[in-house]
Amino acid sequence: MTMFKDKSELEHYLRGINPNYDRYAEVLWRNQVTSASQLGDASVSTLLACGIESALHAQNIIARSKAVDPDLIARIADLEEQRQLDDGLARKLYDNVFRYSESKISKSTNRKLKGRLKAAYGKTVQGKLVCMLTSEALPSKTVIAAHLYKSSWAVFVELALGFSDIDDVRNGLLLWKPIKHAFDTTQIFVARVLNPALLTEKLSGYGQRVMGARWAAPSSARAMTLTFADIDNVALSFPLGCEVRPYKRVLCYQAHLAQREAAKQGWIQINFDDFWSEDEPYVAKVQHWLSKQTANAYGE
């Protein structure tokens, strides 16, 4: 028979039954519950009188205390504690590796991805390439292939998102240089401006500010007047008849990372801490995010 030397051992035991049951240790210990056999022999009404919050919880505690070797439950509790430690380590890895930042900006043109994007989405007007957010025809060298899921994370892409080629056409967009820079630094997410300070800034002015001598001003008069507010909540532009769309799961993943970073910067508030938190199931979070999006902006 397993005896509990103190309240912490009872708490450890209850956690092995269900991670949420450790909160009952206080009331059970106060009612002189000092062994697993007492729990197994108790009635539902007795446990409810001791402070267990529901009959279902009481039934579960009784059944597990009768049917399962208490040493096994203790082992389960040990494993649960190890899982929590592993989750903490995973969160730190996640926060430090999977982060859109200045250091993640590609320093060279990805010809392979750009070639695929041009074949799938590439609208041209008089030899110029159309940016998928501004719908503006610009010199091809200023319209960049942007990975949604970064190329520096390619080793994880199949595990994380279920496709193996980081240059998959559905993992990219054709964006004008200043927009790509703001996207890579999580100041925007596809069609939403996250950094409110950018809304009144002209795209051309931003490009000149962040690129300096490398900046090439567009010849288009309209492009010179566009601000970030002009691309806020704007649908992506696709060629007529084109059925290819970015992966929704990649857009969702990138949105999650971008929103977390934007929240850290104080630009936005989100109604859940992150996808690791236990207050809301992961699937519910994905469904919640997707429910807020417009289908015509993000495609299938």
Side-chain angles (χ1 to χ4, degrees):
M1 176 177 68
T2 297
M3 298 293 296
F4 309 124
K5 295 178 182 178
D6 52 34
K7 187 179 69 176
S8 64
E9 286 195 0
L10 174 57
E11 188 177 276
H12 187 75
Y13 174 83
L14 292 169
R15 193 179 304 122
I17 298 175
N18 185 301
N20 295 319
Y21 289 177
D22 57 1
R23 67 182 187 272
Y24 295 136
E26 178 70 37
V27 293
L28 290 173
W29 189 256
R30 196 185 309 138
N31 282 275
Q32 300 182 340
V33 174
T34 58
S35 70
S37 63
Q38 284 177 273
L39 292 171
D41 293 339
S43 65
V44 171
S45 59
T46 297
L47 292 186
L48 290 174
C50 285
I52 303 302
E53 294 171 5
S54 76
L56 181 62
H57 291 182
Q59 290 168 357
N60 195 21
I61 290 170
I62 292 167
R64 294 289 295 273
S65 297
K66 280 182 176 178
V68 179
D69 180 351
D71 290 335
L72 178 58
I73 290 182
R75 175 60 179 152
I76 291 172
D78 289 338
L79 291 172
E80 172 60 23
E81 287 185 0
Q82 183 61 50
R83 183 192 69 79
Q84 291 177 3
L85 289 173
D86 291 344
D87 279 356
L89 178 62
R91 280 194 292 272
K92 289 180 180 178
L93 176 66
Y94 185 80
D95 285 340
N96 286 282
V97 175
F98 300 103
R99 185 176 182 183
Y100 286 66
S101 64
E102 189 84 24
S103 64
K104 296 295 190 299
I105 297 176
S106 175
K107 303 303 180 183
S108 61
T109 301
N110 188 306
R111 294 180 180 177
K112 183 178 181 181
L113 179 61
K114 187 169 184 178
R116 291 177 175 181
L117 290 170
K118 287 174 68 175
Y121 304 138
K123 293 168 63 176
T124 57
V125 178
Q126 297 179 342
K128 295 181 178 180
L129 191 59
V130 174
C131 166
M132 296 176 71
L133 259 182
T134 64
S135 298
E136 192 70 15
L138 299 158
S140 180
K141 66 180 182 180
T142 68
V143 179
I144 308 301
H147 285 95
L148 291 168
Y149 184 89
K150 296 299 179 191
S151 56
S152 58
W153 307 332
V155 67
F156 302 108
V157 67
E158 189 163 14
L159 177 64
L161 293 168
F163 60 94
S164 58
D165 188 354
I166 196 68
D167 295 320
D168 190 313
V169 69
R170 300 183 68 187
N171 184 42
L173 298 172
L174 289 167
L175 301 175
W176 188 22
K177 276 187 176 182
I179 296 174
K180 181 181 182 295
H181 185 282
F183 170 80
D184 283 338
T185 52
T186 62
Q187 297 184 85
I188 66 170
F189 158 66
V190 184
R192 181 184 176 192
V193 177
L194 299 173
N195 181 359
L198 289 184
L199 287 170
T200 58
E201 185 167 7
K202 290 182 178 180
L203 296 173
S204 57
Y206 176 87
Q208 187 171 23
R209 174 164 64 85
V210 299
M211 297 176 198
R214 296 180 292 114
W215 170 247
S219 57
S220 163
R222 178 177 178 271
M224 287 294 291
T225 65
L226 288 174
T227 67
F228 279 93
D230 293 319
I231 62 168
D232 191 28
N233 292 316
V234 173
L236 290 169
S237 171
F238 297 97
L240 185 66
C242 174
E243 296 183 358
V244 180
R245 295 292 186 273
Y247 289 115
K248 276 188 175 180
R249 60 185 181 272
V250 179
L251 289 169
C252 185
Y253 188 89
Q254 196 274 340
H256 160 58
L257 295 180
Q259 288 187 111
R260 287 180 69 238
E261 185 64 24
K264 288 179 182 178
Q265 298 293 334
W267 297 334
I268 64 170
Q269 291 185 335
I270 51 180
N271 63 353
F272 49 84
D273 291 335
D274 56 50
F275 279 17
W276 294 93
S277 62
E278 297 180 359
D279 60 314
E280 187 178 2
Y282 175 80
V283 172
K285 292 175 183 179
V286 174
Q287 291 172 340
H288 170 78
W289 182 85
L290 287 174
S291 73
K292 300 298 182 184
Q293 312 312 314
T294 55
N296 66 331
Y298 301 101
E300 294 301 322

